[in-house]
Amino acid sequence: MSTLTLRDRYLAMVRMRRFEEACLAGVADREIHGEVHLGIGQEAIAAGLLGYLTDEDALVSTHRNHLHALAKGVPMYPLMAEIFEKRTGLCGGFGGHMHIFDLPRRFSTTGIVGSTLPVALGHAYAARLSGRASVAVGVTGDGGANAGGFHESLNIAGSLRLPLVVLIENNEWAISVPFEESTATATLAERAVSYRAWGKRVDGLDVLAVASAFGEAVDYARSGLGPAVLEATCYRFRGHYEGDPDMYRPAGDRDARRRDRDPLLITRESVVVEGGADPVSLAQEEQAIADEVDTVLAAVRRDLMPDGMQARDHVFTRGTAR
Amino acid sequence: MSTLTLRDRYLAMVRMRRFEEACLAGVADREIHGEVHLGIGQEAIAAGLLGYLTDEDALVSTHRNHLHALAKGVPMYPLMAEIFEKRTGLCGGFGGHMHIFDLPRRFSTTGIVGSTLPVALGHAYAARLSGRASVAVGVTGDGGANAGGFHESLNIAGSLRLPLVVLIENNEWAISVPFEESTATATLAERAVSYRAWGKRVDGLDVLAVASAFGEAVDYARSGLGPAVLEATCYRFRGHYEGDPDMYRPAGDRDARRRDRDPLLITRESVVVEGGADPVSLAQEEQAIADEVDTVLAAVRRDLMPDGMQARDHVFTRGTAR
Amino acid sequence: MSIASEAAVRNVNVSQCVAEAINLEMDRDASVVMLGEDIGRSGGVFGTTRGLQRQFGPDRVRDTPISEMAFTGMAVGLAMEGYRPIVEIMFVDFIGVCLEQVYNAAAKIPYMTGGAVKMPIVFKTAGGCIGSAAQHSQCLWGLFAHLPGMRIVVPSSPYDYKGMMAAAIDSDDPVVFIEHKGLLLRKAGSFAHGREVPRERYLAALDRAAVLRPGSDVTLVTLSLTVGESLAAAAVLADEGISVEVIDLRSVVPLDFDTICASVAKTGRLLVVDEDYLGFGLSGEIVTGAVERVGTSAVRHVLRHGVPDVPVPAALSLEQQIVPRQASIERAVRKLASRS
Amino acid sequence: MSIASEAAVRNVNVSQCVAEAINLEMDRDASVVMLGEDIGRSGGVFGTTRGLQRQFGPDRVRDTPISEMAFTGMAVGLAMEGYRPIVEIMFVDFIGVCLEQVYNAAAKIPYMTGGAVKMPIVFKTAGGCIGSAAQHSQCLWGLFAHLPGMRIVVPSSPYDYKGMMAAAIDSDDPVVFIEHKGLLLRKAGSFAHGREVPRERYLAALDRAAVLRPGSDVTLVTLSLTVGESLAAAAVLADEGISVEVIDLRSVVPLDFDTICASVAKTGRLLVVDEDYLGFGLSGEIVTGAVERVGTSAVRHVLRHGVPDVPVPAALSLEQQIVPRQASIERAVRKLASRS
Ligand SMILES: Cc1ncc(C[n+]2csc(CCOP(=O)(O)OP(=O)(O)O)c2C)c(N)n1
Ligand SMILES: Cc1ncc(C[n+]2csc(CCOP(=O)(O)OP(=O)(O)O)c2C)c(N)n1
Ligand SMILES: [Mg+2]
Ligand SMILES: [Mg+2]
């Protein structure tokens, strides 16, 4: 188990929420011109990952990747700058929100659903080849778990006992398709047996429960026993992407979930009530985080877009394949 | 349970073996110019299917499909003619051995591993749409069960409770890769739980055991409970394709398996010893089957190849898309 | 094609035209069924299937899991059962997870069976650049076109979106129907061509190009969203004294070379504007096909304007440099017109 | 390229040349690893990886399950870890199950990262027709070539199979390396060109075409197995008084237009012979690229000879009608040479 306190994790969640809100502002002001998928409401999962991974461990994420990037230690500034399509971004503005790459931290993403696990499996195989006791985390949503790559990757990991940790964020929806309608079983964790994998389902609004289960999963994989499947349940607070009219979910249910089951509020309550945190100093720390994010946002907004003249760079043929 | 006797099934197996041997002759004489995959040694599985399916039920098979075609009632003559690339074949010689289609019998094949189940799922969905109480059988080898389509198709079948029967012929090898090396679990049938499916593993050399298990699987699917996964174990007697040097399997083991565990010999023994069959009349029937196949082979050999001038037919653009 | 009177222009967007076409086909033919992600409960991420599930039920308008290999294969099985499936691959960029069933099964089965089995499947998908970077901005009609056995339909106007979808469903051949994300939410009234969309069912030809604007200096061949951009460019260029004949391809396979060649024979200058990758695709086929038919002496000058064989970048500043739009089309025409 | 003295021609087949190249690269660079079906224990269905697993162990030469999506993706992850993976897709026809990781990940990541991440992956695969019908006979280099970001390498001689495989592994760009099933088991001594294969390591250029036979009447551009067929055809045609310049492309992306255009400028007649589907692919790109560079007046006559946009049929009688081989190439040259 990591040495992080509940308060640490809570503050990380605050930082994540503020980060997503900064992105929201970028959408509202049309600074981000592509589509954006936010993880608001799912912070307890990402914050539960903290403390278990080093730069030697890999994490491969999805279209909904910002929180995982932060959890993996990707610095906020170049991350936000990439999402804002700026030349100061991690990829110089060539990648954008769905294509975040931070090689030194072994963090990458893809916008194609189901494509994360195969890449994570490659990192897990690299660990084997290089004799490193590292793990590779592949993230998928509940929807992505129905793609063929899930099966292929877990079977390979199981048969070679590779250190692959599959983190399923089950937020009950894949765009407009509810989990129960698209999945044969009641849980996704129970599929673990098909791959001789460790499997567990955890309440993804409970950051400590996630942390403890993720710690177990990582330990299992790291010790060479094979892959682990951790399913964390949660709820997508916003539309699938910013701009999604989200008419397919009962509005009453959605509003109630957001009001009554916000992981940020739940965790804050624990920090104060059970952890006995001083509300004043907590509020100060929250404010400091908000200020940090605001400062980054303001700076990113001042950054330049990439130079259009470079649009043909970075392909070996330089746009003259022909 | 079907009304077929063990003797009926045995004779069907003899017919299948003789059919494959006729194809072998076509390879030896270079009449078949493409690659050919034979099912010798796996007859007890195909013969176990007999009696449970009608033309309303579909069967989608693989590169190793001849026995399934015969089990599905595809007539021997146009089947063999197609394998021999003749104009009298099921597809007029356009398809060939890996692409056998008999639409009235709802039988089809594909040469792409893992692609059978999605197509079978379509047939299962058609049963649902049309209100037919039919089933769709999708065949795969042990190797093909590791392809993504296996997972995707079974999950859909499980969540919609579609009448899909997945028949896995586990012959221990996928070309040169042994089953245990490519698969995380000890059996494939145990994956059924991931799809809320019926699942069973059966000895695929025991034709009655296959028949009874297949009957159960079909009943389960037909009654609307959802998909069924039947894994039948067997052993690939010959190289993966005709011409395969097959140096990757220990020759001693292979020879012993072929000698001691030939389903044809095993079943014949049962027919005689347990079934009390008269060896003389049995031999006569065997001979009659051999004669039938020989007659078909001789006729197919006399048939013409398709007219080369038709090579651009059957595509709407007639080879002039441009 | 004349511009309809405003009275006849309905207040519909392109997605509604598509939904209307599918609706009419499903209504008249019970064998038409639809499979795809988010087509039912939500009516499609762009609304091209809105209302269909409510009308025809969840069995005929099936929201699938994210399992493209399985449900494209289902369409093949359904077609063998006599159904006429429409499969939605949400974005064409995702075809890499399920091309197998499209090109090795659906496209080949009619041929592999010596004509015995038809594959009346529509693969409906959205392409084109609206700012979503490398994995969500591609067109890829050139990829499908290289693989024989499929019609490739790429409409540009509200009228064609409806009429060609109806004809695609009606066709016994497999059809890849590629919508442009940048057109789907546009109102019919905002188009300069094909604005008038009848309420009733009609079929638009699947294999004819359309001369949308006659001209004498340059033949500009294009499709999809860049048709509108090209018409706008042609209007500007006319003021500069450059007469551009704008041809809307409508179909990529087959190509209507009669229309293309008649124009090139007249102008001697051929410009292909293509939002797909430039190399090894549509533009090379059109130039070569024209040269093969009318000879190199008749095709005096050729120019291609398309995405210059790089992925689509995220930042607008980069994207604008590589995706053909009105201003860059004008530049291309001027360049070609200046050659003699 | 001169024909080597018999003494220098080793008794190896093309597959052995490939295995030798991989062996030498794996030996000098521990970051080279290989993934694929049947590459280890069996040494490859055509023997192109024979002996490698014994030498380098099962971790570096990994027999995978039939899970192409997973193991092509593994290569992407491995490349991000600093490895140089070689992935074998047994037959190119199977690319439809895993194109996703090839074109949306490997091919785009260098660009999507603004040059920060390299993808030194070789996708090694076998194409070409040897009688196995519609799903096992395709070439498909035109499909890959349409998608930017990958080198497409298609050697024709034993020398190039070895040298270009070495260069492909050595390259920091993703490379699709397409072998021809009909060449892999042929002995070096049976080739008319590139028969001499050094034992030691060497790299052959990845982006240069080769003029294998000079000629003055017709420029014949081709690649892979039809190079040998074309050389044989050219010898026959020489006796008839037709002088054919035979160019072996070697690389499809990038194309070496310097070599092509120099020849066309001389002959004025361009024939592309392509075993891939004719439409929307290599031949259109070559004709158009040549016209763009030397102008329509210099390219007086063009002709394309390839698989006429139908799947490959099973029966030999049908196959012979659509797959280009020596006799049909001769007919095509005669047809083009007769035009003036
Ligand atoms: C192969 C593929 N199919 C479809 C899509 C379109 N798509 C993007 S996100 C998404 C839903 C994903 O659901 P889930 O995995 O549950 O993740 P969530 O969005 O809920 O976080 C879909 C269908 C895609 N990007 N890739
Ligand atoms: C997608 C795909 N990958 C690889 C192949 C090549 N291939 C053909 S059969 C085969 C082995 C199949 O093994 P299994 O499923 O166990 O069937 P068996 O041959 O043993 O009957 C392979 C790898 C293919 N046809 N399709
Ligand atoms: Mg979800
Ligand atoms: Mg097997």
Side-chain angles (χ1 to χ4, degrees):
Chain A
M1 186 83 194
S2 124
T3 59
L4 290 174
T5 65
L6 176 64
R7 184 188 185 113
D8 295 334
R9 293 195 193 277
Y10 168 67
L11 293 173
M13 289 171 66
V14 172
R15 192 162 175 265
M16 290 170 179
R17 177 72 58 93
R18 296 293 94 83
F19 185 91
E20 293 297 60
E21 287 165 351
C23 294
L24 255 180
V27 173
D29 295 356
R30 296 178 165 275
E31 291 158 289
I32 306 175
H33 93 302
E35 72 194 290
V36 175
H37 313 80
L38 299 179
I40 290 179
Q42 309 186 186
E43 294 89 349
I45 301 174
L49 310 187
L50 291 171
Y52 299 105
L53 304 176
T54 73
D55 287 353
E56 298 232 308
D57 302 311
L59 196 152
V60 183
S61 180
T62 65
H63 57 288
R64 202 176 301 287
N65 57 51
H66 302 176
L67 307 190
H68 309 131
L70 293 173
K72 191 65 178 60
V74 176
M76 190 184 280
Y77 192 115
L79 175 64
M80 194 186 292
E82 188 58 36
I83 296 164
F84 277 66
E85 306 166 7
K86 297 299 177 80
R87 65 171 67 170
T88 47
L90 283 164
C91 302
F94 282 73
H97 137 84
M98 273 190 282
H99 315 113
I100 301 293
F101 292 82
D102 184 342
L103 207 57
R105 287 176 192 82
R106 287 189 169 78
F107 180 81
S108 71
T109 73
T110 173
I112 309 297
V113 172
S115 287
T116 54
L117 267 48
V119 177
L121 185 67
H123 286 283
Y125 198 65
R128 161 75 47 89
L129 283 170
S130 61
R132 262 181 8 234
S134 53
V135 303
V137 182
V139 183
T140 174
D142 47 300
N146 296 326
F150 178 92
H151 176 67
E152 295 188 358
S153 303
L154 267 163
N155 178 58
I156 291 180
S159 63
L160 295 178
R161 305 209 182 216
L162 293 177
L164 175 71
V165 177
V166 174
L167 173 66
I168 308 177
E169 291 191 322
N170 185 343
N171 62 8
E172 299 184 20
W173 294 87
I175 309 188
S176 69
V177 181
F179 168 66
E180 324 78 60
E181 222 176 73
S182 63
T183 312
T185 49
T187 76
L188 290 164
E190 67 197 87
R191 291 183 184 168
V193 295
S194 283
Y195 310 111
R196 206 176 47 184
W198 179 99
K200 186 172 263 181
R201 188 183 230 226
V202 70
D203 175 2
L205 303 184
D206 179 343
V207 68
L208 289 185
V210 173
S212 131
F214 186 69
E216 262 186 78
V218 168
D219 282 352
Y220 182 90
R222 209 186 284 288
S223 63
L225 293 169
V229 179
L230 177 62
E231 176 184 13
T233 54
C234 56
Y235 185 74
R236 199 189 74 212
F237 271 31
R238 303 184 56 83
H240 172 69
Y241 63 96
E242 292 311 309
D244 178 2
D246 196 355
M247 308 282 281
Y248 42 78
R249 298 194 293 186
D253 183 41
R254 180 178 62 221
D255 295 345
R257 296 288 289 264
R258 292 170 56 147
R259 191 183 55 233
D260 304 337
R261 306 286 301 144
D262 184 334
L264 220 63
L265 301 183
I266 293 171
T267 312
R268 190 180 207 281
E269 174 107 351
S270 299
V271 171
V272 172
V273 176
E274 287 146 45
D278 166 28
V280 176
S281 79
L282 195 62
Q284 279 168 348
E285 286 188 86
E286 289 166 340
Q287 189 55 49
I289 290 169
D291 292 345
E292 178 205 359
V293 175
D294 280 349
T295 308
V296 170
L297 175 62
V300 163
R301 285 184 148 159
R302 282 190 301 268
D303 286 341
L304 294 176
M305 289 214 282
D307 176 358
M309 288 304 104
Q310 294 175 350
R312 294 169 183 228
D313 291 358
H314 310 309
V315 169
F316 66 96
T317 51
R318 305 207 66 246
T320 54
R322 297 151 295 100
Chain B
M1 186 81 193
S2 126
T3 58
L4 291 174
T5 65
L6 177 64
R7 184 189 186 112
D8 295 334
R9 294 195 192 277
Y10 168 66
L11 292 173
M13 290 170 66
V14 171
R15 191 161 174 265
M16 291 171 179
R17 178 71 58 93
R18 296 292 93 83
F19 185 91
E20 293 297 61
E21 287 165 351
C23 294
L24 254 180
V27 174
D29 295 356
R30 295 179 164 275
E31 290 158 290
I32 306 176
H33 92 304
E35 74 194 290
V36 176
H37 312 80
L38 299 179
I40 291 179
Q42 308 185 186
E43 294 89 349
I45 301 175
L49 310 186
L50 291 171
Y52 300 104
L53 304 176
T54 75
D55 286 353
E56 298 231 309
D57 303 310
L59 195 152
V60 182
S61 180
T62 65
H63 56 288
R64 201 176 301 287
N65 57 50
H66 302 175
L67 307 190
H68 309 132
L70 293 173
K72 192 66 179 61
V74 176
M76 191 184 281
Y77 191 115
L79 175 64
M80 195 187 292
E82 188 58 36
I83 295 164
F84 277 66
E85 306 165 7
K86 296 299 176 82
R87 65 171 65 170
T88 47
L90 283 163
C91 302
F94 282 73
H97 137 82
M98 273 190 281
H99 315 113
I100 301 292
F101 292 82
D102 184 340
L103 207 57
R105 289 177 189 81
R106 287 187 169 79
F107 180 81
S108 70
T109 72
T110 173
I112 309 297
V113 172
S115 287
T116 53
L117 267 48
V119 177
L121 185 67
H123 286 284
Y125 197 66
R128 161 76 47 89
L129 284 169
S130 62
R132 261 179 12 231
S134 53
V135 303
V137 182
V139 183
T140 174
D142 48 300
N146 296 327
F150 178 91
H151 176 67
E152 296 188 359
S153 302
L154 267 163
N155 178 58
I156 292 180
S159 63
L160 296 178
R161 303 204 184 220
L162 294 177
L164 175 71
V165 177
V166 173
L167 173 65
I168 307 177
E169 291 191 322
N170 185 344
N171 62 8
E172 300 185 20
W173 294 87
I175 309 188
S176 70
V177 181
F179 168 66
E180 323 79 59
E181 221 176 74
S182 63
T183 312
T185 49
T187 76
L188 289 164
E190 68 196 86
R191 291 183 183 168
V193 294
S194 282
Y195 311 110
R196 206 175 48 183
W198 179 100
K200 186 172 261 181
R201 187 182 229 224
V202 70
D203 175 2
L205 303 185
D206 179 343
V207 68
L208 289 185
V210 173
S212 130
F214 186 69
E216 261 186 80
V218 168
D219 282 352
Y220 182 90
R222 209 185 285 286
S223 63
L225 294 169
V229 179
L230 177 62
E231 176 185 11
T233 54
C234 56
Y235 184 75
R236 200 189 74 211
F237 271 30
R238 303 185 55 83
H240 172 69
Y241 62 95
E242 291 311 310
D244 178 3
D246 196 355
M247 307 283 279
Y248 42 79
R249 300 194 292 188
D253 183 42
R254 181 180 60 220
D255 294 345
R257 296 288 289 265
R258 293 168 56 147
R259 191 183 57 233
D260 304 336
R261 306 285 302 144
D262 184 333
L264 219 64
L265 302 183
I266 293 171
T267 312
R268 189 177 207 282
E269 174 108 349
S270 298
V271 171
V272 173
V273 176
E274 287 145 44
D278 166 28
V280 176
S281 80
L282 194 61
Q284 280 168 348
E285 286 187 88
E286 289 166 339
Q287 188 57 48
I289 290 168
D291 292 346
E292 178 206 358
V293 176
D294 280 349
T295 310
V296 169
L297 175 62
V300 163
R301 286 185 146 157
R302 283 189 300 268
D303 285 340
L304 294 177
M305 288 214 282
D307 176 357
M309 288 303 103
Q310 294 176 349
R312 294 170 183 227
D313 291 358
H314 310 309
V315 168
F316 66 98
T317 51
R318 305 207 65 248
T320 55
R322 296 151 295 99
Chain C
M1 211 163 281
S2 68
I3 299 214
S5 67
E6 283 307 317
V9 175
R10 291 161 56 204
N11 182 28
V12 289
N13 68 24
V14 169
S15 286
Q16 287 171 289
C17 299
V18 174
E20 222 171 67
I22 301 174
N23 197 319
L24 290 167
E25 296 307 308
M26 293 191 79
D27 199 43
R28 64 193 291 276
D29 183 350
S31 71
V32 178
V33 297
M34 195 162 177
L35 308 168
E37 294 151 16
D38 307 292
I39 61 169
R41 186 180 275 100
S42 99
V45 288
F46 297 102
T48 53
T49 55
R50 189 151 302 154
L52 297 178
Q53 191 181 63
R54 208 175 324 110
Q55 186 158 349
F56 300 105
D59 278 347
R60 285 186 67 198
V61 182
R62 171 60 60 193
D63 270 332
T64 58
I66 307 174
S67 306
E68 284 89 355
M69 187 66 94
F71 68 77
T72 48
M74 279 174 82
V76 173
L78 283 165
M80 288 198 279
E81 291 267 356
Y83 287 90
R84 306 181 78 82
I86 308 170
V87 177
E88 176 159 300
I89 310 296
M90 189 184 293
F91 284 15
V92 72
D93 313 72
F94 311 154
I95 196 64
V97 306
C98 62
L99 184 61
E100 153 53 18
Q101 291 284 353
V102 177
Y103 88 119
N104 270 332
K108 287 179 183 160
I109 285 174
Y111 188 84
M112 292 198 296
T113 59
V117 180
K118 297 260 174 290
M119 284 281 127
I121 305 174
V122 178
F123 298 101
K124 169 187 182 302
T125 185
C129 180
I130 53 165
S132 301
Q135 294 182 335
H136 287 71
S137 299
Q138 298 165 101
C139 292
L140 298 185
W141 37 72
L143 181 150
F144 292 103
H146 182 57
L147 305 167
M150 303 174 265
R151 292 182 182 277
I152 318 294
V153 167
V154 188
S156 77
S157 74
Y159 180 89
D160 276 349
Y161 266 89
K162 179 168 175 183
M164 295 182 85
M165 177 51 84
I169 299 168
D170 198 55
S171 167
D172 277 348
D173 310 314
V175 179
V176 179
F177 187 95
I178 306 181
E179 303 158 345
H180 196 295
K181 301 191 279 288
L183 294 179
L184 290 173
L185 300 181
R186 279 183 47 187
K187 291 284 184 195
S190 76
F191 283 78
H193 67 297
R195 303 145 46 100
E196 217 174 324
V197 184
R199 282 180 201 281
E200 61 278 13
R201 174 178 191 259
Y202 61 93
L203 305 181
L206 284 185
D207 47 13
R208 292 275 172 279
V211 179
L212 293 187
R213 179 186 173 108
S216 54
D217 295 329
V218 168
T219 297
L220 190 167
V221 177
T222 188
L223 74 174
S224 191
L225 181 134
T226 47
V227 169
E229 302 284 318
S230 296
L231 288 171
V236 170
L237 292 158
D239 293 339
E240 299 175 17
I242 304 177
S243 170
V244 182
E245 180 145 309
V246 178
I247 296 179
D248 177 7
L249 280 175
R250 303 176 67 257
S251 166
V252 172
V253 175
L255 283 171
D256 176 2
F257 272 112
D258 290 345
T259 301
I260 297 167
C261 291
S263 178
V264 174
K266 186 171 67 173
T267 64
R269 288 192 185 82
L270 173 59
L271 171 66
V272 184
V273 175
D274 185 4
E275 195 178 325
D276 195 4
Y277 302 119
L278 205 53
F280 301 87
L282 175 64
S283 57
E285 192 60 32
I286 289 178
V287 170
T288 303
V291 163
E292 285 174 327
R293 283 166 181 80
V294 299
T296 49
S297 55
V299 190
R300 284 183 292 121
H301 301 287
V302 304
L303 190 66
R304 302 193 275 173
H305 178 42
V307 174
D309 299 323
V310 296
V312 177
L316 187 60
S317 56
L318 298 167
E319 181 193 303
Q320 284 170 336
Q321 291 295 322
I322 63 143
V323 178
R325 291 292 182 260
Q326 182 181 341
S328 65
I329 295 169
E330 290 173 21
R331 285 194 296 274
V333 173
R334 286 190 200 104
K335 187 169 163 187
L336 182 61
S338 71
R339 297 201 194 143
S340 63
Chain D
M1 211 164 281
S2 68
I3 299 212
S5 67
E6 284 306 317
V9 175
R10 290 161 56 204
N11 183 28
V12 289
N13 68 24
V14 169
S15 287
Q16 286 171 289
C17 299
V18 174
E20 222 172 68
I22 300 174
N23 197 319
L24 289 167
E25 297 307 307
M26 292 191 81
D27 198 43
R28 64 191 291 277
D29 183 350
S31 71
V32 178
V33 297
M34 195 162 177
L35 307 168
E37 294 150 16
D38 307 293
I39 62 169
R41 188 179 274 99
S42 98
V45 287
F46 296 102
T48 53
T49 56
R50 190 150 304 152
L52 297 178
Q53 190 181 64
R54 207 174 324 112
Q55 185 156 348
F56 301 105
D59 279 347
R60 285 186 68 196
V61 182
R62 171 62 58 194
D63 270 331
T64 59
I66 306 175
S67 304
E68 283 89 354
M69 187 67 93
F71 68 77
T72 48
M74 279 175 82
V76 173
L78 283 165
M80 288 198 279
E81 292 267 357
Y83 287 91
R84 307 181 77 83
I86 308 169
V87 177
E88 176 159 299
I89 311 295
M90 189 185 292
F91 284 16
V92 72
D93 313 72
F94 312 154
I95 195 65
V97 307
C98 62
L99 185 61
E100 153 52 17
Q101 292 285 352
V102 177
Y103 88 121
N104 270 332
K108 287 179 182 160
I109 284 175
Y111 188 84
M112 293 197 297
T113 59
V117 180
K118 298 260 174 292
M119 283 283 128
I121 305 174
V122 179
F123 298 102
K124 168 188 182 302
T125 185
C129 180
I130 51 165
S132 301
Q135 294 182 335
H136 287 70
S137 299
Q138 298 165 101
C139 293
L140 299 185
W141 38 73
L143 180 150
F144 292 104
H146 182 56
L147 305 167
M150 303 174 266
R151 293 182 181 275
I152 317 294
V153 168
V154 188
S156 78
S157 74
Y159 180 90
D160 276 350
Y161 266 89
K162 178 168 176 183
M164 295 183 85
M165 175 52 84
I169 299 169
D170 197 54
S171 167
D172 276 348
D173 311 314
V175 179
V176 178
F177 187 95
I178 307 181
E179 303 158 344
H180 196 296
K181 302 191 276 290
L183 294 179
L184 289 173
L185 300 181
R186 278 183 46 188
K187 290 284 183 193
S190 76
F191 283 78
H193 67 299
R195 305 144 45 100
E196 217 174 322
V197 185
R199 282 180 202 281
E200 61 277 12
R201 174 178 192 257
Y202 61 93
L203 305 181
L206 283 186
D207 46 14
R208 294 274 172 279
V211 179
L212 293 186
R213 181 188 172 108
S216 54
D217 296 329
V218 168
T219 297
L220 189 166
V221 177
T222 189
L223 74 175
S224 192
L225 181 135
T226 48
V227 169
E229 302 284 319
S230 296
L231 288 172
V236 170
L237 292 158
D239 293 340
E240 299 176 17
I242 305 176
S243 169
V244 182
E245 181 145 309
V246 178
I247 296 179
D248 177 7
L249 280 175
R250 304 177 65 258
S251 167
V252 171
V253 175
L255 283 171
D256 176 2
F257 272 113
D258 290 345
T259 301
I260 298 167
C261 291
S263 178
V264 174
K266 187 171 65 172
T267 64
R269 290 191 183 85
L270 173 59
L271 171 66
V272 184
V273 175
D274 184 4
E275 195 177 324
D276 195 4
Y277 301 121
L278 205 54
F280 302 87
L282 174 63
S283 57
E285 192 60 32
I286 289 178
V287 170
T288 302
V291 163
E292 286 175 327
R293 282 167 181 79
V294 300
T296 49
S297 56
V299 190
R300 285 182 290 123
H301 301 287
V302 303
L303 190 66
R304 303 194 275 174
H305 178 40
V307 174
D309 299 325
V310 296
V312 177
L316 187 61
S317 57
L318 298 167
E319 181 193 304
Q320 284 170 337
Q321 292 295 322
I322 64 145
V323 178
R325 291 291 182 260
Q326 181 180 343
S328 65
I329 294 169
E330 288 174 22
R331 285 194 297 272
V333 172
R334 286 189 200 103
K335 187 170 162 187
L336 182 61
S338 72
R339 296 201 195 141
S340 61

